[in-house]
Amino acid sequence: GAYSFTMCGRLFRTSMLGDAILDMPDRLPHEDLVATARALFHANQVAGIPESVYYYTINPASISSNFTARHIDGLFYALNDWVHQAKTRRMMKALETAIGQGAERLINTFALRCVRAPNMTAPEKLALLRDINGRYDQLPVPRGEPAYPGTRLLARIASTNGEDEAAALRLV
């Protein structure tokens, strides 16, 4: 099914939302990716309902709408925290494929947001995409053949090895 790691539309017992869940750097973009995963790791029981009961409104002036390198910092803080949470609970082996798949889906979304960002030039986008790919390479999760447009773009940019800047810029 279509699951997300955002806190939108989730209910949590207030007793579980202490420092172990919510302690993270101030003004971290996409902190919900961290908090939701931590809550799931700490939960004794999780339940869901099939009905939509929450609708998200996109605010063009919000911090999430103006894509910057800080968004990438927030994403990789979250992905590395997922790995840390799994390792701490000795669940990494069981979860590494799922974490890898979740990471690819999110990285795809962020790569496409970078390409579509109206506030950045093509060279700025290319530099940020290379940064995303470098950080993706460092994640200790399986990385198979790219399954999504954004991760396929990252692979194509990486294949230029920084030698053919013009060809890489045409990809962006």
Side-chain angles (χ1 to χ4, degrees), residues 13-29:
R13 292 185 194 272
T14 55
S15 61
M16 75 177 294
L17 295 179
D19 288 346
I21 307 297
L22 300 174
D23 186 30
M24 60 193 81
D26 289 339
R27 302 187 51 78
L28 178 75

Side-chain angles (χ1 to χ4, degrees), residues 13-138:
R13 292 185 194 272
T14 55
S15 61
M16 75 177 294
L17 295 179
D19 288 346
I21 307 297
L22 300 174
D23 186 30
M24 60 193 81
D26 289 339
R27 302 187 51 78
L28 178 75
H30 310 293
E31 73 286 348
D32 53 341
L33 297 174
V34 177
T36 302
R38 286 180 182 177
L40 291 172
F41 274 113
H42 281 81
N44 292 325
Q45 185 176 7
V46 176
I49 60 172
E51 296 88 23
S52 294
V53 294
Y54 181 92
Y55 298 95
Y56 186 79
T57 300
I58 297 174
N59 176 357
S62 76
I63 190 171
S64 298
S65 296
N66 189 16
F67 193 79
T68 67
R70 288 195 62 237
H71 290 89
I72 302 308
D73 293 339
L75 169 65
F76 282 95
Y77 182 94
L79 295 176
N80 283 299
D81 194 74
W82 292 5
V83 169
H84 172 74
Q85 297 296 324
K87 285 181 176 180
T88 299
R89 289 162 182 74
R90 295 190 168 105
M91 298 173 70
M92 189 61 193
K93 193 71 172 163
L95 293 175
E96 69 181 357
T97 299
I99 291 172
Q101 291 169 345
E104 185 183 6
R105 287 185 67 183
L106 287 168
I107 289 167
N108 168 68
T109 299
F110 280 67
L112 294 177
R113 284 189 65 200
C114 178
V115 169
R116 296 177 184 139
N119 59 311
M120 296 180 354
T121 66
E124 290 170 329
K125 292 175 184 181
L126 180 58
L128 196 50
L129 289 166
R130 285 192 170 135
D131 180 41
I132 292 169
N133 197 53
R135 294 187 198 197
Y136 189 15
D137 282 343
Q138 293 175 7

